[in-house]
Amino acid sequence: MAPAPSPTSSAITLNINGEKHTLPVDHRTTLLDALRERLDLTGTKKGCDQGQCGACTVLIDGRRAVSCLQLAVAAEGRDITTIEGVADGEDLHPVQQAFLDLDGYQCGYCTPGQICSAIAVIEEHAAGWPSAATQDVRPEAGAQPLTAEEIRERMSGNLCRCGAYVSIVEAVARAAEAAQPPSGGSGDGMGTTEAEAAV
């Protein structure tokens, strides 16, 4: 007697923006489609659907991931943050505020993915992770500045068809500056960062 075929769907529980959602999914369902089509979390955008444009970027356990290449079943038990979950109630996340203040968007389609990616970029840089643009990767060199070149390299997986890259770099630099602990120097914290000046 032939063995019974394995099921092709399961009920899974996804932890999204601090809330648990249980739903049945086909095992081939991507996280992107589960978010948009099953849970009505449409802030995450479907762009190329091939992992090349970054429009569907979300945070999984604090690290950025393109949700069009992530199976929903593989995301079970992990902390998922979409653009709907980055603000603190009515208070925008510093990256959202910087994008708003510095016009880091035009049509806005890529913006949710850009913002999620920028949040992770700032955290990766603060943790000392080097990029291909990092000049000195030796541990003893200490923290390297988050220059415009660094931001462009680290954000290179997120495409903007409107070409708002200059403002995006400025917004990421502004948000990174806001995330740093206050220094002993004077000023109102609204000065031009090295990355903003180099754009």
Side-chain angles (χ1 to χ4, degrees), residues 24-34 38 70-73:
V25 296
D26 185 288
H27 294 163
R28 299 164 294 181
T29 303
T30 64
L31 178 58
L32 174 60
D33 285 339
R38 304 297 304 283
Q70 174 81 40
L71 292 176
V73 292

Side-chain angles (χ1 to χ4, degrees), residues 41-181:
L41 293 169
T42 56
T44 304
K45 303 305 183 192
K46 180 176 280 198
C48 66
D49 214 19
Q50 298 177 356
Q52 297 180 10
C53 74
C56 68
T57 301
V58 297
L59 302 175
I60 300 178
D61 294 334
R63 298 183 66 174
R64 51 193 164 150
V66 284
S67 58
C68 71
L69 297 184
Q70 174 81 40
L71 292 176
V73 292
E76 188 171 23
R78 303 175 73 184
D79 289 325
I80 303 162
T81 304
T82 68
I83 190 65
E84 291 91 348
V86 300
D88 182 10
E90 295 297 315
D91 297 326
L92 294 179
H93 188 282
V95 173
Q96 290 176 302
Q97 190 64 56
F99 267 70
L100 184 63
D101 293 342
L102 296 168
D103 294 327
Y105 56 87
Q106 288 186 33
C107 78
Y109 196 82
C110 74
T111 306
Q114 298 273 5
I115 288 172
C116 287
S117 189
I119 290 169
V121 160
I122 293 168
E123 292 178 358
E124 290 164 10
H125 177 263
W129 295 8
S131 78
T134 304
Q135 295 295 316
D136 192 343
V137 297
R138 296 174 302 150
E140 61 268 23
Q144 300 293 300
L146 188 60
T147 62
E149 182 182 10
E150 279 279 357
I151 294 171
R152 286 193 291 267
E153 169 62 28
R154 291 171 186 264
M155 292 289 294
S156 62
N158 292 80
L159 303 181
C160 172
R161 289 170 176 81
C162 298
Y165 294 115
V166 171
S167 297
I168 290 169
V169 171
E170 291 176 348
V172 176
R174 175 75 61 84
E177 182 183 33
Q180 292 178 351

